[in-house]
Amino acid sequence: MHESIVFEKELADEAKRLYVNLKHLEYSMNECLMFAPLTLKINKLKKEKNAVILAHNYQRPEILFGIADFTGDSFALSKNAMETNADIILFCGVKFMAETAKILNPEKKVLIPSLEAGCSLADEITAQDVKNLRSKYPNLPVITYINTPADVKAESDVICTSANALKVIEAMKEDEVIFVPDMFMARNLQNQTKKKIHYWNGKCIVHEQFTPEQVTEYKNQFPEMKVLAHLECMPEVIALSDLAGGTSDMYNYIKNSDAEKFMLVTECGMSDLLRARFPEKQFINPCSVCPYMKKIHLDNTLVSLEEEKFEITVEKEIAEKAKKALDRMIEIGK
Ligand code: 13P
Ligand code: SF4
């Protein structure tokens, strides 16, 4: 067969593969045909370079269903990063996630398709702020949410994610703890523990937008639906929810629920992912977009992998200290 005919067939098959999932998100076959040359190239390069692609649940559907080897929340992806034999980890997520992968794998090359993929919450605290908190509350353990830069992690006793924050708090021997940087998450956790939580005032620009009025309006419209809210939402929103947790908790809740209608109070990518995974369920979507997560797309992922560009590095001393705090989380999370 002529080479160009073979390539046309390869493209058509790839577009069909993408369409199986993306059709549930109203993507057309033509759009899948546009993604196909990129996903084909990226998947070939992955094999050639022994690279693995880790993608957070908030990533674009063409990334999650087209090129990711592993998808998940921050905790699951940290564990995937630890367990991989690949030489290159390409992280489709935000910078603190790629940094975490680097800290857990100092000998591997870690790439991120855009160095602009930051996080508003991670920007709200510095290593000096943590040192100041330690002086203010001496002898209390510092529990740091994973959405932080490496040098903040390095000043912490233990890291947590939305999937294990309560477990980490309860695992501390002290009756009082310092929790940074997410204020809403700290207040939500305070409602679930007897320990006293001293918290910082950081917020996520995506989750702070959801209001109790908005949730109540949808609940009045669809009384039978289940409301699943991210722990980064304000306590007044959490009070109206059937589940308060991280993105993996949402996934598991829906998987095990007989309910048909769900409202996800989180970033839009999560609703897309779940609509494709559970096409028989209905999703009411007041979602909000994370501009940082959406900096990543197929084009810059291809460039990053092809040219091994946008590498994540973490200073050795910081990485070693941060790794201790991450290892402690992983030990507690077992
Ligand atoms: P998860 O770890 O729950 O996926 O959350 C990450 C995040 O950035 C939420 O805004
Ligand atoms: Fe950061 Fe919020 Fe985006 Fe999550 S959704 S990456 S916390 S800005």
Side-chain angles (χ1 to χ4, degrees):
M1 228 190 301
H2 195 276
E3 223 173 88
S4 66
I5 299 176
V6 175
F7 186 58
E8 288 299 316
K9 178 164 179 346
E10 211 182 346
L11 278 184
D13 288 347
E14 178 67 352
K16 272 189 220 150
R17 181 184 76 86
L18 297 172
Y19 191 64
V20 170
N21 288 302
L22 298 188
K23 69 178 179 203
H24 300 298
L25 307 173
E26 291 86 43
Y27 280 81
S28 65
M29 182 54 103
N30 270 346
E31 283 166 295
C32 293
L33 269 167
M34 273 162 49
F35 295 141
L38 293 165
T39 55
L40 273 177
K41 263 193 191 167
I42 293 169
N43 287 328
K44 271 185 199 152
L45 270 174
K46 253 184 357 188
K47 280 196 197 131
E48 280 166 32
K49 291 179 180 258
N50 188 26
V52 67
I53 297 188
L54 308 183
H56 184 261
N57 288 331
Y58 293 163
Q59 288 291 294
R60 294 168 192 274
E62 61 271 27
I63 292 197
L64 294 171
F65 295 108
I67 57 167
D69 297 295
F70 296 100
T71 60
D73 68 345
S74 312
F75 186 51
L77 295 176
S78 304
K79 288 200 290 185
N80 294 143
M82 266 176 62
E83 288 157 10
T84 180
N85 293 320
D87 296 316
I88 297 177
I89 297 174
L90 178 56
F91 215 113
C92 292
V94 292
K95 229 173 129 190
F96 75 79
M97 297 179 177
E99 263 184 5
T100 302
K102 180 68 186 174
I103 293 164
L104 294 170
N105 284 287
E107 75 295 348
K108 291 196 199 306
K109 186 174 265 188
V110 177
L111 304 171
I112 187 163
S114 168
L115 291 168
E116 288 172 23
C119 166
S120 71
L121 184 55
D123 287 343
E124 296 223 26
I125 191 158
T126 65
Q128 187 57 49
D129 293 328
V130 178
K131 286 183 193 162
N132 296 346
L133 281 169
R134 279 200 191 277
S135 315
K136 189 169 170 194
Y137 304 108
N139 308 321
L140 293 194
V142 176
I143 304 175
T144 295
Y145 188 37
I146 198 160
N147 296 38
T148 41
D151 60 344
V152 171
K153 289 189 177 76
E155 293 304 322
S156 313
D157 293 294
V158 57
I159 308 303
C160 72
T161 72
S162 55
N164 58 30
L166 189 61
K167 203 171 173 189
V168 170
I169 290 173
E170 299 298 4
M172 298 298 109
K173 63 179 192 319
E174 295 82 356
D175 292 332
E176 295 187 26
V177 300
I178 300 168
F179 185 95
V180 296
D182 192 313
M183 172 174 85
F184 290 149
M185 186 176 281
R187 285 173 51 200
N188 290 326
L189 292 164
Q190 184 64 85
N191 290 335
Q192 300 176 34
T193 179
K194 289 199 172 78
K195 292 188 195 270
K196 164 96 182 130
I197 302 178
H198 301 276
Y199 55 84
W200 191 244
N201 57 4
K203 279 187 259 170
C204 155
I205 52 162
V206 175
H207 290 90
E208 72 175 335
Q209 287 178 33
F210 300 110
T211 63
E213 292 75 24
Q214 192 184 23
V215 178
T216 305
E217 204 181 305
Y218 279 104
K219 277 176 83 121
N220 290 341
Q221 224 179 313
F222 308 103
E224 74 286 18
M225 79 178 179
K226 299 288 179 198
V227 178
L228 318 184
H230 200 279
L231 268 178
E232 290 172 15
C233 294
M234 61 182 78
E236 295 78 2
V237 165
I238 296 295
L240 295 167
S241 306
D242 297 282
L243 171 96
T247 56
S248 59
D249 298 312
M250 293 177 184
Y251 185 97
N252 291 331
Y253 186 100
I254 292 171
K255 196 171 145 204
N256 298 319
S257 169
D258 293 333
E260 281 170 11
K261 254 191 202 118
F262 301 90
M263 174 170 153
L264 298 177
V265 192
T266 190
E267 208 273 339
C268 301
M270 192 61 198
S271 329
D272 286 343
L273 172 68
L274 293 172
R275 278 197 298 137
R277 287 257 202 264
F278 302 102
E280 71 289 0
K281 309 267 186 194
Q282 284 178 50
F283 294 92
I284 315 298
N285 274 344
C287 68
S288 159
V289 171
C290 173
Y292 306 102
M293 285 281 178
K294 268 45 183 190
K295 293 272 179 210
I296 314 286
H297 41 78
L298 289 174
D299 294 285
N300 56 15
T301 302
L302 177 59
V303 172
S304 176
L305 188 56
E306 216 163 29
E307 301 176 23
E308 301 190 17
K309 208 168 148 182
F310 311 128
E311 186 173 355
I312 294 288
T313 55
V314 181
E315 218 179 280
K316 191 167 179 278
E317 198 188 327
I318 289 178
E320 281 171 3
K321 282 169 78 183
K323 185 168 186 304
K324 279 193 192 144
L326 277 163
D327 284 345
R328 196 162 169 205
M329 167 184 80
I330 288 164
E331 191 53 41
I332 293 169
K334 265 182 189 168

